[in-house]
Amino acid sequence: MITDNQTNKVYFSSLLPETCPKLWSELQKVLRENNVDTALLNCTNDIWCRDFMPIQIAPDKMVFYEYNPDYLQKTKKYITNTKMLASLFPRVMHKVDIKYLYLKIDGGNVVKCGDTIVMTEKVFHENSAYSREVIEEYLRFAFECDFLFLPWDKSEKYGHSDGIIHYLGDNKVLLTNYDDFDSDYYHQFKAILEQKFEVIPLHYPVKMKHKDNWCYVNYLQIGNLVIVPQLGIPEDEMAIDQIQKVLPDAKVVGISATEAVRDGGALNCLSWNIDACKAQLVSDNPYDKDNYLELIEEAEIEPDVFSPYFAWLENRENLPTTAYMNQLLRYIDNSRKITELTLDAGKQALHIPELTLCQKYATKEDIKDLEHQISCTDLLLNAILHDSLQIEDANKFSRSNVLENTGLKDIEQNSSQYHDNIFYEEEFGRFFIETISPSIPDDSHIEIIMPPIDPPIDDVPF
């Protein structure tokens, strides 16, 4: 199980800078000062990445799940489609196995604590078509670990365990200050958690307790860096002192988080932190027009062919057609092949002793220039592919759809020319999707881990 102290990269929604500008500014500063690798996700419908991004259970293994929470049923535009995400990941991440668990789960209700995951019992309410025994069985199978279930305090509609506890390592958990406002729940939580962990509660001895002082337990930890939300209240410093005490080897800092907390979440909710050693996205950071122009010039490719693509980059509205995107990728790749042929010929001629210097096809400097040209072309292809996958209807530009939505078997057999070309004869990195039941008939992209009874038809959102 990958826990926070084992992570080294953190992602946020691309909506966050505009939604929470002050928080984002302070967050960027702290992350930059501490050399934390950071990127934005452009395929999100809201800022709460934790709730819908996959759960990393090993460096090369992740679990996707159905994200369709009850509290968003009247505002479904904010629901990020996890099936779409699961279908996109094989095109942008290498050598990672995934499972798709066909249960409704919020990532904020999954706190990884060593060899155990802690959830609230809201997971059983959200999946009431199945028995508790079936849900527990499939959770354990998907996540490959033990579980502890806390009671769901229904006064808190989200039912997220990451607003209750945070794992400290060494078999210890930090429990939020429930004893300050609901002693009954506090003792229930503590008794359940103490079955496996040493429990350390937070407490704020102030006369006027702030209604949002629950948020401190929802801090963000990447490796040895801990970033604690701050509200501009007396509890701020108390929280930092207590968290620093239980994490003596960590660097604990605070940033203003009022913009997020007033909407019901904090820093853990806003983030998706992973161990990126194997789970590395291709070309995480999108390019802008200036980046492209520089690469195009270095790759010695005709810039006019990019005009429709630049129009989309500038306003994200003038969507290029699939046919155009295919032609653009083919054009760039053909340019690369021509350069590569020239390079190979130059290298061969350079080592033919019977040729005079003036007869040789290229000098050593020419060889270096051609190699640089190929390198820039490679970057250009990956950058365009990455940006193409981030548009609203991302599947139109996914590598599978370059094959006009052929079945998964055909995709694997044909190994599309675009797969090979984009990754330049390296083995196409894809997920190996584990399944214990047939795939959903109307979805050719993924297979599912699904309880062995059919959910109500109106319960399938996608």
Side-chain angles (χ1 to χ4, degrees), residues 21-282:
K22 182 179 180 182
L23 181 153
W24 176 243
S25 177
E26 292 189 28
L27 188 57
Q28 270 192 307
K29 183 175 184 292
V30 170
L31 294 170
R32 194 181 300 117
E33 288 175 350
N34 290 276
N35 300 311
V36 175
D37 198 3
T38 309
L40 294 177
L41 298 163
N42 292 302
C43 52
T44 64
N45 288 348
D46 70 21
I47 62 176
W48 310 110
C49 295
R50 184 71 54 180
D51 289 342
F52 49 80
M53 293 303 288
I55 310 297
Q56 187 179 29
I57 61 174
D60 59 351
K61 189 175 294 186
M62 292 191 183
V63 177
F64 283 83
Y65 45 87
E66 183 186 357
Y67 177 62
N68 187 33
D70 54 3
Y71 53 83
L72 289 181
Q73 292 307 296
K74 294 182 179 179
T75 51
K76 290 196 173 188
K77 66 179 181 178
Y78 296 116
I79 298 176
T80 297
N81 188 328
T82 52
K83 281 190 180 178
M84 186 188 76
L85 287 179
S87 70
L88 291 179
F89 265 54
R91 297 125 176 112
V92 296
M93 187 180 282
H94 296 292
K95 299 177 183 176
V96 174
D97 298 345
I98 70 166
K99 302 176 181 180
Y100 192 101
L101 177 61
Y102 200 67
L103 289 175
K104 289 182 186 177
I105 295 175
D106 288 11
N109 194 26
V110 178
V111 176
K112 297 178 287 183
C113 303
D115 62 354
T116 302
I117 284 177
V118 178
M119 303 181 77
T120 73
E121 291 179 340
K122 190 182 182 189
V123 67
F124 303 121
H125 295 262
E126 288 271 76
N127 297 280
S128 57
Y130 314 123
S131 70
R132 177 169 180 145
E133 291 72 24
V134 166
I135 293 170
E136 288 190 23
E137 177 184 353
Y138 280 84
L139 286 171
R140 290 189 177 96
F141 179 86
F143 290 98
E144 303 174 18
C145 68
D146 291 332
F147 277 77
L148 282 181
F149 298 98
L150 303 177
W152 174 26
D153 177 0
K154 294 183 180 178
S155 67
E156 196 280 292
K157 65 180 179 180
Y158 304 110
H160 289 178
S161 54
D162 72 348
I164 301 173
I165 66 165
H166 212 121
Y167 185 58
L168 298 170
D170 297 327
N171 223 39
K172 299 176 183 177
V173 295
L174 188 66
L175 175 61
T176 196
N177 58 318
Y178 245 96
D179 200 26
D180 291 343
F181 52 87
D182 195 318
S183 185
D184 287 342
Y185 270 118
Y186 166 76
H187 288 291
Q188 289 183 64
F189 294 156
K190 191 168 182 290
I192 293 169
L193 292 167
E194 283 179 340
Q195 296 174 26
K196 293 208 70 167
F197 305 109
E198 178 185 345
V199 179
I200 302 172
L202 289 167
H203 176 62
Y204 311 114
V206 294
K207 289 184 178 179
M208 297 292 293
K209 292 180 174 60
H210 195 280
K211 65 181 179 65
D212 291 328
N213 66 14
W214 59 267
C215 74
Y216 303 114
V217 78
N218 197 262
Y219 59 79
L220 169 61
Q221 180 174 6
I222 313 105
N224 203 41
L225 175 67
V226 173
I227 309 175
V228 181
Q230 302 282 271
L231 303 176
I233 59 175
E235 289 97 314
D236 284 353
E237 197 60 39
M238 298 178 191
I240 287 184
D241 289 345
Q242 291 177 64
I243 292 170
Q244 183 69 79
K245 184 177 179 180
V246 296
L247 292 171
D249 297 326
K251 180 178 181 180
V252 180
V253 297
I255 67 164
S256 175
T258 306
E259 292 167 316
V261 173
R262 69 190 177 199
D263 288 331
L267 300 182
N268 191 72
C269 301
L270 291 171
S271 57
W272 182 55
N273 53 320
I274 62 171
D275 173 4
C277 294
K278 292 187 179 179
Q280 185 66 262
L281 288 175
V282 175

Side-chain angles (χ1 to χ4, degrees), residues 292 296 301-311 324 328 331-332 380 384:
Y292 278 122
I296 290 167
I301 294 176
E302 174 56 52
D304 289 346
V305 300
F306 292 85
S307 296
Y309 196 67
F310 285 157
Y324 166 77
L328 182 60
Y331 172 77
I332 298 170
L380 188 60
I384 290 174

